Amino acid sequence: MSSSQQQQQQQVTPRGLPGFLRRTLRTSTAEQENNALDYSPSSAPKSPAVPDSITDTAGVQSGNVDNDNVDVANRSSRSKSDSQIDGRMTQTDIATNQNSLTLTSPGSAKRHLRAVAFPPLPYEQELGGNNSDDDVDIGDVDKQSQSLNVASTNNVISTPMIAPPQPQTEATAPPPQPKSYKEIQYETMLNSTIIPLRDLRKLAWNGIPPHHRSKIWKILLSYLPANTSRHQSTLTRKRNEYKDAIQQHYDIPDDSRTNSEQETLRQVLVDVPRTAPEVPLFHNDRIRRCLSRLLYIWAMRHPASSYVQGINDLATPLIAVFISGYFPNKDVEEEVLSGEVMIDVTDAILEEVEADTYWCLTNLLAGIQDHYTSDQPGMQRMVMRLEDLVNRIDADLAGHLRETGIEFLQFAFKWMNCLLLREFRLQRVMRLWDTYLSEGDGGFEDFHVYVCASFLVHFSAELQQMGFDELFQFMQNMPTDDWTDREIEILLSSAFVLSTLFGGSEAHLNVVRH
């Protein structure tokens, strides 16, 4: 290699590049020099679309230009050749670039080196392979861009593309949970032609699902017959009877009522606004009108007991359960007891709920009607049984109550009169009544005594540490706001054990009083 060639090579090959890139550049430069030395116009290959008169990359015509037709043809040929050569250089371009390469700066050599080491991608070749502003015509770029877009839509260009991120879809709904064995049993019984009442009571003792509670309570209260084919006809007949009772007793002029009837109506209208004050559902005016009407009609049709304060509380679980029966997908505590459900309760639904509540309340009170007659002998009997039972199962607590001067009648009378409705939240009372109704006729009297005994003994340790004032206040406001169905079920289990131990024996009633 001559000294002049070495100097040119040093100019082409800048310092500071990696060895393999310098070797690549030197090899490429040597090949271009050899091609330039061997080049002759007669031996240069011709592009099939470029005529002989074209010799440079700019498309300048070197032949005869006297004829205008020839000039038009040459311009057409150049335009056609530009679209076909796809960025490839002719031998003339290589020679021209070779002559200019020896005079370029190191920066130009680096750009040439990048072109050799990193050849253009396919889509760059589609655009001509040359991004120099001096060589690209704006019209050609627009045409090439349009052709590239058309080709890309037709999946012609097979360039490596990064897949766009897939849009996130909403989470699919979880698969429905399989029904429990208990749920299957309920559905089997309720769908049978004749409902087996004994099996239904056994199953309901441990709690009734909220969406089945309305129908099962009506069956256990003997409002609906066991024959399911007669359910609709029974409901229609009973609801019509109640409408007739409204016309007979309630929708009449006030001057046609006796003094006793007017006093009963006044007492009902006073008690209804005070019913379940902690439950927003019973703040609704429509509910209060229904409750006032059914309580007054019940008093008119049962003159032996008439209306007694406390009966209004017994109607509240029935109303709440029967309303929730029309909306099985609504949460009992969050939507029904909160009063939100009243937006969806039509007048027709409310009329049916009122009639059903009246008849079910009537059947419930039929078993404990002497609790509300004159002198309320049933209440006094239940309080005495509770005191005797506590003396047997927790003598220390019974003795402490006597020493402090607390009489069972002072706190237990309310427990018997309102069936613990004022000691528990309404949803807990629903669970309690599932078991009461399953016990049959004695649920609200006999079994209720064992529940009250278990309830009192549950707080035995705390009560024995209190004096009269503190103990009396504690009894009036039992701390059960945070109780759940689990605590209620523990209470019911304890009451069941007591009923098993003492229910069939008269000995526990023969306790010597101190």
Side-chain angles (χ1 to χ4, degrees):
M1 182 182 296
S2 64
S3 59
S4 61
Q5 292 177 347
Q6 291 178 357
Q7 291 177 359
Q8 292 177 359
Q9 182 175 350
Q10 290 176 358
Q11 293 176 356
V12 173
T13 307
R15 297 183 180 273
L17 294 176
F20 78 94
L21 290 179
R22 290 200 301 271
R23 288 192 297 271
T24 303
L25 182 58
R26 286 197 297 269
T27 302
S28 175
T29 303
E31 291 176 355
Q32 291 175 1
E33 290 176 353
N34 294 332
N35 292 334
L37 294 174
D38 296 337
Y39 173 77
S40 63
S42 61
S43 62
K46 297 180 181 180
S47 174
V50 181
D52 295 339
S53 60
I54 297 177
T55 59
D56 59 297
T57 58
V60 177
Q61 183 179 356
S62 59
N64 188 6
V65 294
D66 292 338
N67 194 340
D68 293 338
N69 295 330
V70 175
D71 181 54
V72 174
N74 289 337
R75 283 199 300 270
S76 175
S77 300
R78 285 197 301 272
S79 185
K80 184 177 181 181
S81 63
D82 289 341
S83 62
Q84 292 180 354
I85 60 178
D86 296 334
R88 290 172 293 183
M89 300 174 64
T90 63
Q91 294 293 339
T92 305
D93 297 329
I94 296 175
T96 304
N97 290 339
Q98 172 61 30
N99 294 332
S100 62
L101 185 62
T102 58
L103 302 176
T104 56
S105 63
S108 300
K110 288 183 179 180
R111 287 193 296 271
H112 176 70
L113 179 59
R114 285 195 295 268
V116 174
F118 306 102
L121 295 175
Y123 67 84
E124 292 178 349
Q125 295 178 358
E126 287 287 340
L127 292 175
N130 190 350
N131 295 331
S132 175
D133 295 337
D134 297 333
D135 298 334
V136 178
D137 183 76
I138 296 176
D140 294 338
V141 171
D142 292 338
K143 295 178 180 179
Q144 293 167 354
S145 299
Q146 294 175 2
S147 63
L148 179 59
N149 292 334
V150 173
S152 62
T153 57
N154 295 328
N155 297 326
V156 174
I157 301 176
S158 59
T159 58
M161 301 295 291
I162 300 176
Q166 296 296 328
Q168 296 182 355
T169 58
E170 295 182 1
T172 57
Q177 296 294 330
K179 294 181 180 180
S180 63
Y181 176 71
K182 183 178 180 180
E183 178 69 21
I184 296 175
Q185 283 185 303
Y186 273 114
E187 292 184 355
T188 301
M189 289 184 185
L190 295 177
N191 292 330
S192 59
T193 304
I194 304 297
I195 298 175
L197 294 180
R198 180 176 296 180
D199 295 338
L200 182 61
R201 292 183 189 278
K202 290 180 180 179
L203 189 61
W205 201 99
N206 293 314
I208 302 173
H211 54 284
H212 290 315
R213 183 172 280 147
S214 176
K215 186 174 184 179
I216 292 177
W217 275 23
K218 293 173 185 176
I219 295 172
L220 295 179
L221 283 167
S222 300
Y223 177 47
L224 291 178
N227 189 341
T228 56
S229 63
R230 295 171 51 197
H231 282 184
Q232 190 56 48
S233 60
T234 300
L235 290 174
T236 302
R237 176 171 54 84
K238 287 290 188 180
R239 289 167 180 171
N240 289 334
E241 288 181 13
Y242 181 72
K243 290 181 180 179
D244 295 338
I246 293 176
Q247 298 295 326
Q248 180 181 356
H249 298 289
Y250 195 83
D251 291 341
I252 59 176
D254 289 338
D255 56 5
S256 64
R257 293 188 174 94
T258 65
N259 292 335
S260 175
E261 293 174 348
Q262 291 181 1
E263 178 61 25
T264 300
L265 180 59
R266 185 196 67 80
Q267 185 63 42
V268 168
L269 296 177
V270 168
D271 286 349
V272 165
R274 298 183 295 189
T275 303
E278 72 284 353
V279 182
L281 175 65
F282 294 96
H283 300 171
N284 186 276
D285 291 337
R286 297 166 64 198
I287 294 293
R288 288 179 173 179
R289 285 196 295 270
C290 292
L291 184 58
S292 300
R293 190 160 45 231
L294 71 90
L295 290 175
Y296 177 78
I297 293 174
W298 186 89
M300 294 298 98
R301 302 187 68 174
H302 297 81
S305 59
S306 188
Y307 172 77
V308 178
Q309 192 175 25
I311 297 179
N312 57 320
D313 291 317
L314 302 185
T316 55
L318 299 172
I319 293 176
V321 168
F322 295 160
I323 288 178
S324 64
Y326 288 89
F327 306 96
N329 295 326
K330 292 185 180 294
D331 184 81
V332 175
E333 186 167 8
E334 297 295 333
E335 298 179 88
V336 177
L337 298 183
S338 67
E340 295 180 6
V341 72
M342 293 305 297
I343 299 175
D344 301 321
V345 176
T346 63
D347 292 339
I349 291 176
L350 203 56
E351 289 177 0
E352 295 178 356
V353 169
E354 181 182 344
D356 296 344
T357 301
Y358 170 81
W359 290 112
C360 289
L361 180 65
T362 299
N363 293 347
L364 187 155
L365 293 174
I368 54 175
Q369 190 165 358
D370 63 345
H371 294 190
Y372 305 101
T373 56
S374 179
D375 296 331
Q376 297 179 292
M379 295 288 183
Q380 298 184 30
R381 181 176 63 251
M382 293 176 69
V383 172
M384 291 177 58
R385 291 182 60 191
L386 175 62
E387 184 177 0
D388 292 339
L389 187 58
V390 172
N391 275 294
R392 292 292 303 271
I393 63 178
D394 196 339
D396 294 337
L397 175 60
H400 179 72
L401 294 176
R402 285 192 299 270
E403 292 174 359
T404 55
I406 297 293
E407 296 289 339
F408 275 79
L409 196 63
Q410 294 174 328
F411 63 87
F413 183 84
K414 183 180 67 172
W415 294 3
M416 307 305 174
N417 188 47
C418 301
L419 298 176
L420 294 175
L421 274 161
R422 298 184 182 180
E423 276 60 48
F424 297 112
R425 297 171 62 183
L426 191 55
Q427 194 169 4
R428 305 288 86 79
V429 173
M430 294 178 187
R431 173 62 190 90
L432 195 67
W433 281 27
D434 289 345
T435 301
Y436 282 8
L437 293 172
S438 301
E439 284 287 327
D441 296 335
F444 290 93
E445 182 169 0
D446 296 334
F447 192 75
H448 181 65
V449 173
Y450 296 108
V451 171
C452 291
S454 300
F455 183 51
L456 182 63
V457 172
H458 179 80
F459 298 99
S460 177
E462 294 89 338
L463 294 174
Q464 293 184 46
Q465 303 299 322
M466 299 178 184
F468 177 85
D469 294 337
E470 188 179 5
L471 194 150
F472 188 81
Q473 183 66 28
F474 186 87
M475 289 294 190
Q476 297 300 318
N477 188 19
M478 304 294 283
T480 60
D481 290 341
D482 59 343
W483 278 36
T484 64
D485 285 352
R486 183 176 182 275
E487 284 76 18
I488 295 296
E489 290 171 354
I490 293 174
L491 189 67
L492 292 170
S493 299
S494 177
F496 177 77
V497 173
L498 294 178
S499 67
T500 303
L501 294 175
F502 300 102
S505 174
E506 297 294 334
H508 72 283
L509 298 178
N510 300 325
V511 179
V512 179
R513 295 178 179 271
H514 297 284

